[in-house]
Amino acid sequence: MKTRADGLPALDWFRLAAAVLVVCIHTSPLESFAPLWDFWLTRVLARVAVPFFLMVSGHFLAKGGWRGAGRFWRRTAALYLATAGLYLPVNLYNGMGPLEWLRALVTDGTLYHLWYFPAVLLGVPLAVLLLRLGKGPALCLAGALYLAGLGGDSYYGLVSQVPALAALYDGAFCIWEQTRNGLFYAPLFLLLGGACPRLPRRAAAPGLAAALAAMSLEAFWARAMGWQRWDSMYLLLPLCMVLLFSLLLSLDRGEDRRARRVSMLMYVLHPWWIVLLRPAARLTGLEGLLLDNSLVHFAAVLALTWASALMLYALRPLPADPTARAWRELDRAALVHNARVLQAAAGRRCRLMAVVKADAYGHGAAPVARTLRRAGVDCFAVACLSEGAALRRAGIFAPILVLGWTAPEQAELLRRWRLTQAVADLDHARALSARGVKIKVHLAVDTGMRRLGIPAEDEEGLAAVFALPHLRVTGLFSHLCLSDDAGAQAAAFTRRQLDAFYAAADGLRRRGLDPGALHVQASYGIWNLPPQPCQYARPGIALYGVYSDESPVRRRLDLRPVLSLRARVASVRTLRAGEGAGYGLAFTAARETRLAAVTIGYADGVPRDLPARGGEVLVRGVRCPMVGRACMDQLLVDVTGAGEVRPGDPVTLIGADGPERIPAEEVAARCGTITNELLSRLGARLPVAAR
Ligand SMILES: *Cc1c(COP(=O)(O)O)cnc(C)c1O
């Protein structure tokens, strides 16, 4: 357990503070008592709130190497649209036309507080674009944009004395009402959030106090000079933000999801309470108190906002616990580790094409592909079109090769999902091309497996595919059928396969045709062959950290099993000696027996004959035999040796529990099959729990 001494979820808690500051900005709590103090609070100090939100976003995006930017963008856009919809009644009441609304949607936001969303939606892609130049240049350019933005904000009165500059800013103001937007304002804070230095707390805290004081002087000065067109950007604001964020980072431990969600809800909801408080105050005759007393007004808006945010948060759909019944547990770290090891084994010039067919061999294609994508794997292979489409829908935009046959009539769908198709033979290629839609293909070369591909020696046939008008050949590959056999004869056959493959590639090159990316090694090709002069290797089973069976390989690599298969004890009872249990009473207790019903069956992919073949599970770290016949949704386990077993206890069918482990290879061997089959049959009813 974490203790307070470890630190606080400082970033998440400051989100709440920032949300309160935003409410301050929009309600001016001190206005009716001390306008100058109110200016200081709401137009100077509270200006840290929105840059903070931007920096938090940048911070987490940068942690993932900005690879999550697309997903973040889509989620923000969805939230923005929902929020804009929420305020549509206000827009209608104010007489806003549809065109004006659409314009506001992409520029300043459809209500005053919503400018943040279009700023993020423009700022994030801009930041990603700038980062292509490198971190330093990106920060410099974003800083320059911010400086330019200052001229349209706190320093407009100064800058606009130069007519040319005034004209420039007035041009910008034809698009946005302010320079506090996605171009001039958001990129800098997003990037600073990702590149914030971690200063020692001793330096950051007094530094922040000094910077805030200096920024206050700056603000009052600009105000006194009458320069301010707006009061949301200051020269010293980025410095204040770096110091504040650094301080928070130094305190930050752990996370507080509730604070995250509630702060966002507060941000989204508070203008509705500002709107609704007016008629409410009139109706109750409390205008003097609720509207004219700025402090009471602020307090009322804040209380209502806070209460409604908490209420909405409480109404959120409760996330289902994937580990409630039976589940596939995905060890992400092991997957990433395996990808690194295989990448190293494949050689420097050869990249991984991760084979994630059959729901990633039963591991869950979407979480597997996302994890690999984040680890830098940039190419995937699936068995069929629908698997490729599912990956696209899961947000995988890297190249995907469909290894299996696809009906030519589906060519349009291949193009729609931007999938690369493997060509099964020349007829297949012609039929695909005849559909008249441009698609990318990899040419399968049959080097002896006699499954798919144009025969390696048929140079004319291979070359003919290049002449087809609608296919673009971007790769050439073959599949080895004996690479899992370490014997000398098999090795010689494999050698001939490789020679035929490279000869086919050379033949095409001699004809002036570019075969594109070559790939030939699957898992056993990596384990049993030296690195190949190819652009890709296509490991499947090896990525998941298991061998297909117990046959030996040349190079054993340090791979880790990725999947554990677990269920729970549903019920425990004691059988007298001689008593039977299960369908057909196939089990008879030889002695007094503690029998557990376990929440997984053959419909989940557990082989039905596993109990009869000596299948075991781990309960409380102890190996216990499966007994009787497996049912569709349950199976029986003799837990006599496992101590005090209770309903709800986890049961491991594949994987480790304490020091004891049941490898997938062991289960597959019992059932006379390979791990590929065992794992790929794990049912869709099993949720994936990634850790
Ligand atoms: C399934 C498949 C692979 C992956 O095979 P593993 O033995 O699991 O590594 C590679 N290439 C092709 C063509 C496949 O069909």
Side-chain angles (χ1 to χ4, degrees):
M1 275 304 289
K2 287 219 170 76
T3 61
R4 282 289 157 81
D6 289 326
L8 322 158
L11 284 181
D12 285 342
W13 286 8
F14 196 81
R15 286 173 200 257
L16 287 173
V20 173
L21 288 177
V22 172
V23 176
C24 274
I25 294 176
H26 296 144
T27 52
S28 294
L30 303 179
E31 174 85 10
S32 57
F33 304 100
L36 219 54
W37 284 95
D38 191 72
F39 174 80
W40 187 54
L41 171 65
T42 65
R43 309 293 127 169
V44 187
L45 296 184
R47 289 307 186 195
V48 301
V50 174
F52 167 78
F53 284 124
L54 291 168
M55 287 180 79
V56 171
S57 301
H59 176 69
F60 286 108
L61 285 171
K63 266 194 173 176
W66 291 85
R67 278 184 284 270
R71 239 156 75 98
F72 174 76
W73 194 94
R74 288 190 293 279
R75 290 223 314 254
T76 306
L79 179 64
Y80 179 31
L81 283 180
T83 311
L86 190 65
Y87 285 96
L88 207 52
V90 180
N91 299 141
L92 290 174
Y93 181 81
N94 290 339
M96 198 178 206
L99 276 181
E100 201 187 336
W101 187 83
L102 278 178
R103 199 190 94 102
L105 192 71
V106 289
T107 56
D108 303 302
T110 56
L111 202 73
Y112 53 83
H113 71 313
L114 293 181
W115 67 270
Y116 171 75
F117 287 106
V120 170
L121 294 177
L122 177 59
V124 166
L126 210 57
V128 171
L129 204 69
L130 288 174
L131 277 171
R132 296 217 173 151
L133 307 170
K135 241 188 215 172
L139 273 170
C140 286
L141 279 172
L145 282 170
Y146 184 85
L147 283 180
L150 273 179
D153 198 279
S154 285
Y155 292 90
Y156 180 74
L158 179 67
V159 171
S160 62
Q161 289 169 15
V162 183
L165 285 177
L168 253 161
Y169 282 107
D170 292 344
F173 295 138
C174 291
I175 304 172
W176 294 281
E177 278 174 13
Q178 302 181 40
T179 50
R180 179 198 61 180
N181 58 34
L183 177 63
F184 298 110
Y185 180 87
L188 179 64
F189 293 115
L190 285 165
L191 290 171
L192 281 177
C196 190
R198 285 171 192 252
L199 306 170
R201 211 175 296 168
R202 274 171 292 111
L208 175 62
L212 284 173
M215 182 168 82
S216 305
L217 286 178
E218 179 194 354
F220 277 100
W221 185 43
R223 180 183 144 110
M225 301 297 287
W227 290 336
Q228 291 188 311
R229 179 176 182 275
W230 212 275
D231 44 34
S232 44
M233 297 172 77
Y234 298 106
L235 196 57
L236 288 172
L237 183 57
L239 176 66
C240 291
M241 291 316 300
V242 167
L243 292 164
L244 172 64
F245 206 75
S246 170
L247 189 63
L248 290 171
L249 279 181
S250 74
L251 295 169
D252 192 51
R253 299 284 181 287
E255 54 177 73
D256 181 341
R257 275 164 191 271
R258 187 165 68 157
R260 250 183 226 195
R261 296 278 153 76
V262 168
S263 62
M264 182 44 81
L265 284 168
M266 287 177 70
Y267 182 81
V268 162
L269 292 174
H270 73 276
W272 255 122
W273 291 117
I274 297 176
V275 169
L276 292 176
L277 214 53
R278 284 191 172 276
R282 294 223 173 84
L283 281 175
T284 52
L286 291 174
E287 287 144 296
L289 187 64
L290 282 179
L291 302 181
D292 300 340
N293 184 322
S294 60
L295 201 55
V296 175
H297 180 241
F298 159 74
V301 169
L302 183 62
L304 289 165
T305 302
W306 189 65
S308 56
L310 277 183
M311 231 148 68
L312 273 185
Y313 179 77
L315 289 178
R316 81 200 180 284
L318 283 177
D321 176 3
T323 71
R325 176 191 166 257
W327 68 100
R328 309 175 258 176
E329 196 170 283
L330 189 70
D331 183 346
R332 283 210 188 96
L335 181 62
V336 170
H337 167 84
N338 294 344
R340 302 237 155 94
V341 168
L342 288 165
Q343 176 60 68
R348 267 203 302 134
R349 251 165 293 162
C350 193
R351 304 184 57 77
L352 294 189
M353 178 190 289
V355 180
V356 293
K357 61 190 179 186
D359 204 21
Y361 293 46
H363 291 60
V368 163
R370 284 197 200 114
T371 305
L372 289 172
R373 192 72 198 81
R374 260 178 263 134
V377 172
D378 54 10
C379 186
F380 295 88
V382 293
C384 56
L385 191 147
S386 60
E387 288 182 345
L391 279 191
R392 291 281 184 247
R393 281 193 295 263
I396 301 295
F397 300 106
I400 298 175
L401 174 63
V402 179
L403 293 168
W405 183 79
T406 296
E409 294 74 24
Q410 308 272 75
E412 175 55 41
L413 284 176
L414 286 171
R415 199 194 53 110
R416 161 135 18 119
W417 295 109
R418 290 184 296 104
L419 302 173
T420 307
Q421 174 61 43
V423 165
D425 55 34
L426 192 48
D427 286 340
H428 189 220
R430 288 194 178 119
L432 281 170
S433 179
R435 303 301 300 181
V437 285
K438 285 238 181 289
I439 52 173
K440 286 187 190 168
V441 296
H442 280 202
L443 262 183
V445 183
D446 181 3
T447 53
M449 180 149 178
R450 300 278 173 262
R451 184 174 70 175
L452 295 182
I454 296 173
E457 55 284 1
D458 181 7
E459 251 188 52
E460 294 292 330
L462 288 166
V465 178
F466 286 79
L468 292 170
H470 295 107
L471 303 189
R472 204 173 117 221
V473 180
T474 55
L476 191 76
F477 74 102
S478 190
H479 200 45
L480 305 172
C481 45
L482 287 179
S483 60
D484 58 340
D485 186 336
Q489 266 190 327
F493 188 88
T494 299
R495 188 67 253 162
R496 284 199 295 281
Q497 278 196 286
L498 291 173
D499 290 344
F501 176 60
Y502 296 126
D506 284 339
L508 290 171
R509 286 197 197 97
R510 270 197 306 278
R511 287 165 183 259
L513 300 169
D514 176 9
L518 304 191
H519 45 104
V520 69
Q521 292 163 289
S523 298
Y524 278 86
I526 299 177
W527 278 321
N528 285 331
L529 297 174
Q532 294 295 307
C534 286
Q535 278 68 54
Y536 286 113
R538 298 186 308 267
I541 196 71
L543 270 176
Y544 309 106
V546 292
Y547 294 93
S548 293
D549 53 29
E550 284 155 342
S551 60
V553 295
R554 283 252 185 91
R555 289 201 282 174
R556 279 192 92 85
L557 301 172
D558 165 35
L559 300 173
R560 302 177 187 161
V562 172
L563 178 127
S564 303
L565 179 62
R566 301 191 207 274
R568 293 202 182 268
V569 171
S571 170
V572 190
R573 58 206 63 212
T574 307
L575 266 60
R576 280 173 278 113
E579 223 179 329
Y583 281 126
L585 295 181
F587 171 66
T588 308
R591 49 171 163 70
E592 188 174 279
T593 299
R594 292 284 285 164
L595 190 69
V598 174
T599 55
I600 191 165
Y602 61 77
D604 299 296
V606 178
R608 185 165 171 272
D609 56 353
L610 187 56
R613 288 169 176 265
E616 294 179 322
V617 300
L618 303 178
V619 184
R620 304 186 147 253
V622 177
R623 274 188 184 250
C624 300
M626 299 176 173
V627 297
R629 281 187 206 152
C631 312
M632 185 181 275
D633 321 301
Q634 287 148 80
L635 48 83
L636 298 173
V637 172
D638 179 349
V639 294
T640 313
E644 194 54 46
V645 175
R646 285 193 208 94
D649 281 353
V651 176
T652 302
L653 290 91
I654 297 173
D657 181 1
E660 193 62 67
R661 156 181 290 282
I662 297 181
E665 288 92 336
E666 175 192 315
V667 183
R670 277 190 203 287
C671 298
T673 184
I674 54 175
T675 55
N676 309 45
E677 180 184 1
L678 175 76
L679 296 174
S680 64
R681 276 170 175 261
L682 293 180
R685 192 167 70 185
L686 295 172
V688 176
R691 66 181 163 84

